[in-house]
Amino acid sequence: MSSDKVLTARGLRVEFGLPGGRVARAVDGVDLDVAPGEIVALAGESGCGKTTLARTLLGLERATGGEVAFGNVPLGRSTKALKAYRRQVQLVLQDPSGALNPRHTVYDAVAEGLRIHGITDDEPGRVAEALSRAGLRPPERFFLAYPHELSGGQRQRVVIAGALVLEPSILVADEPVASLDASVRGEILSLLLRLKEDAGLGALVITHDLGLAWSIADRIAIMYLGRIVEQGPVEQVLTEPRHPYTRALVSVLPDSPVAEPVVLAGELPDASRIPGGCRFRPRCQEVAAGNALKVLDQCEGVDPAVLGPDAEPHLVACHLDRALRDPARMSG
């Protein structure tokens, strides 16, 4: 993977102070890469840290530790550094109605990024090209329209055009189709795929919908309580899920490779009360069923990192998974 335009996170941590001196570890040691020409889905339950991770990758949230970099250049905090970075890494919000100013025309909404970045040459041509790439054709027809005059799908295309006008390498899309009906969802996902194929645009797509991830992503990262617990090629992870949490998520999909739906026990995750050892252990169906007895000391004592052989793209943070792949660990 060429490193000149790759968005990377290494050991990324984000903590928030809470009343009573408590600390919420919303992002707790994440490693992640997104390159132009690939779509990476970031999936997990609500509250697992997906949106905080996305905001930190965009420089909208300050990291407590670790590093965000683009093309091997660490993300700076100065206004100049952030402006240059955001020409390459652009945000697409999930709610187009909230993302668009109702008093701005489509033209002004798309041109806003150009004006912020001081790009003055051929503004009408750049706006028209961005709208056309986003599937709003002929683009001039939409210049003087206001958001309330558009359908939900058209509004989302305007939001995407506002990102495309700066010619970024990576989009960070937070639940980009969550507010749209099923037919329009498919159109927007097809648009993202076309942008990937035709322009080499990459994307990190934040979603709780594994079906969406299956239809659009090249790779998927499963997040639980601030950490990536499994990641790899989307087809491999979703047809051969190895982490108990991933298996639980996959078990409710139509035609799931997991034989029976998995109902997770225990309390919902709380980033201010992360348990010791493996953070998933209190809800783990394998622990509850007694299938992890021979590695339970490790489950209780060590929070596993996402590791795997160098040649293996499918990585899993689970003591039981590693033991099953290395029988000597189970018999010891």
Side-chain angles (χ1 to χ4, degrees), residues 102-147:
R103 291 186 289 274
H104 286 180
T105 64
V106 166
Y107 181 95
D108 287 328
V110 177
E112 183 178 11
L114 296 174
R115 295 166 183 173
I116 289 172
H117 287 268
I119 301 169
T120 58
D121 61 302
D122 191 21
E123 181 180 281
R126 290 175 182 270
V127 171
E129 173 64 18
L131 287 169
S132 182
R133 289 178 68 196
L136 293 172
R137 304 185 185 96
E140 292 80 7
R141 175 184 153 211
F142 296 91
F143 276 8
L144 299 181
Y146 287 88

Side-chain angles (χ1 to χ4, degrees), residues 196-218:
K196 169 197 161 183
E197 296 298 331
D198 297 345
L201 190 67
L204 176 66
V205 177
I206 317 301
T207 184
H208 66 279
D209 183 346
L210 295 185
L212 182 154
W214 174 269
S215 66
I216 195 174
D218 301 294

